[in-house]
Amino acid sequence: MENLALTGDHEQIDRCLRALAQGHGIWRSDLVDRLKGEWSPLQRHWNINLASGLEAVRNIVWSNLIGYIENLYPRRAHRPVSPEDVDWSKEVAEISFNASTKREAVVLRRSSLQQRRDWLLLKYGRDRSASMRSLQRILDEAIEQIAERMVKVAAGAASSPGVSVELATPPRPPRQGNSLAHLVELSGELQQALNFVRDACKAQNRIFYTSDLLVTLLDLPGKRAAQCFDEATHIGQAVSIREQLAATLGDDRHHEPFVPFTWLERSDVQLAAEYAISDGRLVVSELHLLLAILDSDSATNRWLQRLLREEYPQVRAVAERHRHNGPTVVNSPTPDGLW
């Protein structure tokens, strides 16, 4: 009986995702009404508060889609899958749902699926040997994988603690970073705060997201990361960002299970360590980590880009300036005040 229920759920999600890709995609004006009605399986799986307004609902739909799209992995029967294949599948899926954050894709917001496919063929068709048929095949495969993973997440498919449901996705290769990165550590205050959040995720059996990283930075007593957002945009922006991310993280209905990790196994922390080394330091500060998040390809960073729009580059510029000119971290674990 359970297998039959999961099969029915998969079919419903598949149908909803195919409908979502039609018309204006996530930019359709009737998105809330559709989620109240025939697309209610998506609303249920993503636990969307439909009373929060169209923009907030669209952000939740977008962030969930991007999270799943980032884990897409094309299947090829007759040849190995290349990194270009993976990137192309993600690009086609994002454009199909009208969820791309690329500047050149802004013109597609009021386009139909057919118009978005025409745009892809015009822009990339020759380089990718793409066709309408191949674009449909990629979308079909993306929807199949997304629906499958949504059902697994909802059913708690990983029966053993610490086992990810993303078993079909090959692990990302480690960053080819600075050979001294393993000597770098997080500042005392930063590591204590991040360890607390990681332990909480483990206790809840919830995967640790980049959003957890950013919320932790915004909550640190020194407020150096929060200051970057407020200075680049307006007072209160950091609080708003923190509240929106915390609300999403607080929803426990669609999170994947916890996967054990060390901090230097994360690519963003590795990048932050490289920034620290380039500054002649062996301790990662919250600004190093903020810059690494802003330079990452995470769903959280894409969400920030979409939220802040033209103000987004200013956040990085302010963080970069404070990185070099701001005060050092008081609670440094090193005797010479390195941060």
Side-chain angles (χ1 to χ4, degrees), residues 50-266:
L50 299 178
S52 59
L54 176 59
E55 186 63 24
V57 168
R58 182 179 289 123
N59 279 336
I60 294 173
V61 171
W62 175 84
S63 62
N64 277 280
L65 277 175
I66 291 298
Y68 283 105
I69 288 172
E70 284 193 338
N71 284 302
L72 291 179
Y73 193 74
R75 301 182 178 100
R76 298 288 182 268
H78 305 296
R79 62 176 177 83
V81 175
S82 68
E84 290 75 19
D85 291 330
V86 176
D87 290 342
W88 177 235
S89 292
K90 294 178 182 180
E91 175 87 1
V92 171
E94 287 187 5
I95 294 296
S96 296
F97 287 108
N98 212 356
S100 176
T101 58
K102 291 185 176 179
R103 186 177 298 275
E104 63 265 29
V106 172
V107 298
L108 300 175
R109 288 186 179 177
R110 298 305 171 195
S111 64
S112 66
L113 177 58
Q114 181 62 52
Q115 289 169 328
R116 293 194 291 277
R117 285 175 171 170
D118 289 338
W119 183 85
L120 277 170
L121 292 178
L122 182 63
K123 190 172 180 63
Y124 301 110
R126 181 174 299 177
D127 294 337
R128 298 289 182 180
S129 299
S131 65
M132 285 293 177
R133 184 176 179 180
S134 67
L135 294 180
Q136 181 63 52
R137 176 183 54 77
I138 292 172
L139 177 59
D140 289 342
E141 186 175 66
I143 289 175
E144 171 67 23
Q145 290 187 30
I146 293 171
E148 177 182 343
R149 288 167 179 163
M150 286 178 64
V151 170
K152 284 183 178 180
V153 170
S159 57
S160 301
V163 178
S164 171
V165 299
E166 299 294 350
L167 297 178
T169 304
R172 295 182 179 179
R175 261 186 84 83
Q176 300 300 314
N178 194 299
S179 60
L180 297 177
H182 67 285
L183 299 176
V184 178
E185 58 184 1
L186 301 172
S187 72
E189 182 181 61
L190 179 56
Q191 178 153 348
Q192 183 178 10
L194 286 174
N195 285 348
F196 178 84
V197 176
R198 183 180 60 184
D199 290 345
C201 289
K202 181 178 180 180
Q204 300 165 16
N205 194 25
R206 171 176 77 71
I207 196 168
F208 183 96
Y209 293 102
T210 305
S211 295
D212 288 297
L213 212 56
L214 182 54
V215 168
T216 303
L217 291 181
L218 295 175
D219 281 344
L220 286 174
K223 298 295 181 184
R224 301 182 72 195
Q227 182 183 357
C228 294
F229 286 97
D230 287 353
E231 185 176 331
T233 57
H234 59 268
I235 300 298
Q237 181 67 272
V239 172
S240 176
I241 290 172
R242 190 241 179 259
E243 289 177 350
Q244 292 182 65
L245 291 175
T248 301
L249 293 169
D251 164 24
D252 60 2
R253 291 181 55 182
H254 65 277
H255 296 302
E256 298 175 22
F258 180 79
V259 179
F261 66 94
T262 63
W263 292 117
L264 277 175
E265 288 176 339
R266 289 187 57 92

